[in-house]
Amino acid sequence: MVSEQLNALVLPDADGNFGKHGGKIGHPQLAAALAEIEDGFRQIIRDEAFIGEMKRLQATYVGRPSPIYHARTLSQRGAQIYLKREDLNHTGAHKINHCIGEVLLAKKLGKKKVIAETGAGQHGVALATAAALLGLECEIHMGVVDIAKEHPNVSRMKILGAKIVPVSAGAGTLKEAVDSAFESYMGQLGDSMFAIGSVVGPAPYPEMVAYFQSIVGHEAREQFQNQYGGLPDEVIACVGGGSNALGLFNAFIDDTDVALVGVEPAGEGLDKPGRHAATMTLGQFGNIQGFNCYYLQEADGTPAAVHSIASGLDYPGVGPQHCHLKDIGRGRYETATDAECLDAFMALSREEGIIPALESSHAVAYALRRAAKLGSDKRLLVNLSGRGDKDIDFVIEKLAL
Ligand SMILES: Cc1ncc(COP(=O)(O)O)c(C=O)c1O
């Protein structure tokens, strides 16, 4: 079943490795908990009743399939730009795709609670939603900087019944939230399940989250062929941990004429250490938070400070599958700055009437830049991973609108 969903090139070996990346590195106590989750995952993906329930919720609760929209005004720049509208999912982003799967699994394992980190608050909202739906408690760790910036999502999580744990350590953003959530999880292993928010962390998380997100690409490939004929020239997605990108890329990996393009945050500039989060572009190989990948690091190997205008991209590491796709030359990783992201946010809002998440605006920014260099016969498919409601106050203030 997994091999039907996930391309062989992004399937791990028995130890959770994708080439030299990934693995399961951590505390022995955690190893037993991860083994339980992995066994459960292997069982549910072969369980027709489980798959049936997940499909029912995807269709009737999340609102899948999300449409593909041809953005004709944006396309006047050159190449045709198409958007896979994950922003139209219930809760407003792709994160609900893996949250439904993770919470169904937690329930199947008899857990009472799900625990996770969140950056932009989209994973937190999606997890709190799935937990409310399926009757589990939910504990969300979030950096204090992100709490201030993404307050609409904090309010939504509270209303949905989640307990919010503010994290003030370090930079008070996503990496510290992950550390805090893992620490809390270690103290309540029996009753709870860690429900990570991207294709990161020790095995089985990268594979599991990719599996739940793969619906995006499977839908998109079929929709594109049916609606527009053939396949796009490039599929483009922003990369924080990498879940929305891998969800889209997976179905196109064997289509070697289709470029797979991940867009990372160049923040205030690649020449400013600590002021970007361009992991694939400037990171070095090593171990971060229980898995191997390229990550931005100091000379002594500790994770470097990172920055992005988009809280959900503000992470020094990246999913092991992306590192592997880069190593084998199948994935291309580009960057967009904070300023380009804001321009794209406004362009999509004002030219197409769609307010995108700041995370997704990075993919749009690259697509706009790329479209202007290509002829109108070329076709770019962008994963619009989320909507921008959470970002509107921030953008109004930033641009003094
Ligand atoms: C809308 C949106 N897109 C993208 C991301 C980045 O995550 P990933 O790279 O796992 O898709 C986030 C993370 O919070 C997000 O909220």
Side-chain angles (χ1 to χ4, degrees):
M1 176 66 82
V2 181
S3 53
E4 285 166 26
Q5 289 285 337
L6 289 178
N7 190 285
L9 286 179
V10 288
L11 278 176
D13 66 16
D15 296 320
N17 297 301
F18 305 84
K20 66 179 182 182
H21 306 277
K24 29 186 147 180
I25 306 149
H27 201 278
Q29 234 182 317
L30 189 59
L34 293 176
E36 183 193 18
I37 295 170
E38 182 159 359
D39 286 350
F41 170 61
R42 305 253 170 255
Q43 278 173 31
I44 54 150
I45 57 179
R46 284 174 181 78
D47 178 344
E48 275 179 32
F50 185 96
I51 299 291
E53 177 63 352
M54 200 166 69
K55 285 192 172 158
R56 183 183 75 81
L57 292 173
Q58 283 166 346
T60 61
Y61 188 75
V62 177
R64 304 209 69 86
S66 65
I68 291 187
Y69 166 70
H70 183 188
R72 292 188 184 177
T73 309
L74 291 187
S75 302
Q76 286 169 9
R77 288 163 173 78
Q80 304 307 307
I81 297 176
Y82 300 82
L83 306 174
K84 174 68 171 160
R85 298 288 312 271
E86 289 298 292
D87 60 312
L88 294 179
N89 294 339
H90 178 47
T91 70
H94 67 293
K95 300 281 180 187
I96 192 76
N97 300 328
H98 61 244
C99 287
I100 295 275
E102 286 181 323
V103 178
L104 278 172
L105 172 59
K107 208 169 165 169
K108 182 105 182 164
L109 294 175
K111 305 296 178 190
K112 295 189 173 57
K113 189 196 253 190
V114 280
I115 302 176
E117 81 296 341
T118 196
Q122 285 302 137
H123 175 65
V125 168
L127 195 66
T129 298
L133 170 74
L134 296 164
L136 264 67
E137 290 168 47
C138 182
E139 179 183 309
I140 301 293
H141 295 244
M142 190 169 187
V144 287
V145 170
D146 294 334
I147 288 180
K149 189 165 157 205
E150 311 284 3
H151 60 89
N153 274 346
V154 178
S155 303
R156 290 162 84 197
M157 286 185 273
K158 283 185 185 160
I159 290 170
L160 290 161
K163 178 183 165 201
I164 315 286
V165 180
V167 182
S168 53
T173 57
L174 185 53
K175 157 148 189 321
E176 292 80 19
V178 176
D179 287 335
S180 170
F182 258 115
E183 199 181 310
S184 174
Y185 177 49
M186 293 295 288
Q188 40 186 331
L189 286 175
D191 277 348
S192 66
M193 187 180 115
F194 195 98
I196 212 155
S198 191
V199 286
V200 294
Y205 288 112
E207 178 188 359
M208 186 164 84
V209 172
Y211 172 86
F212 292 133
Q213 285 296 344
S214 64
I215 188 159
V216 177
H218 288 302
E219 271 178 19
R221 193 173 183 283
E222 199 180 320
Q223 287 169 313
F224 200 91
Q225 283 177 316
N226 292 342
Q227 286 173 235
Y228 307 109
L231 294 176
D233 295 288
E234 300 190 7
V235 294
I236 300 166
C238 67
V239 177
S243 67
N244 86 92
L246 200 67
L248 180 64
F249 292 179
N250 172 64
F252 294 92
I253 290 176
D254 288 336
D255 302 312
T256 47
D257 288 345
V258 179
L260 313 177
V261 187
V263 186
E264 328 189 86
E268 294 168 6
L270 294 179
D271 55 344
K272 293 202 176 78
R275 301 308 297 163
H276 64 76
T279 312
M280 298 289 288
T281 310
L282 293 175
Q284 289 164 285
F285 181 76
N287 168 250
I288 182 175
Q289 295 185 316
F291 69 109
N292 290 314
C293 66
Y294 295 121
Y295 71 96
L296 292 166
Q297 44 186 278
E298 304 292 356
D300 64 357
T302 52
V306 283
H307 157 84
S308 168
I309 195 169
S311 300
L313 305 184
D314 199 0
Y315 182 66
V318 63
Q321 297 100 322
H322 286 290
C323 302
H324 184 52
L325 287 175
K326 180 181 174 177
D327 286 355
I328 61 173
R330 185 63 190 97
R332 193 169 94 222
Y333 294 87
E334 306 274 355
T335 61
T337 63
D338 287 353
E340 288 175 308
C341 161
L342 280 171
D343 286 348
F345 178 97
M346 292 309 296
L348 189 53
S349 300
R350 297 217 166 153
E351 294 178 40
E352 299 283 354
I354 298 171
I355 303 177
L358 285 172
E359 290 75 16
S360 326
S361 301
H362 284 75
V364 178
Y366 171 76
L368 296 181
R369 209 166 73 206
R370 184 79 175 139
K373 290 193 189 128
L374 297 172
S376 59
D377 58 324
K378 296 291 181 199
R379 301 185 298 177
L380 310 178
L381 174 60
V382 178
N383 198 5
L384 197 66
S385 55
R387 66 178 182 229
D389 305 30
K390 65 187 177 56
D391 300 312
I392 54 180
D393 292 345
F394 175 81
V395 171
I396 290 272
E397 204 183 309
K398 187 95 186 158
L399 298 180
L401 293 175

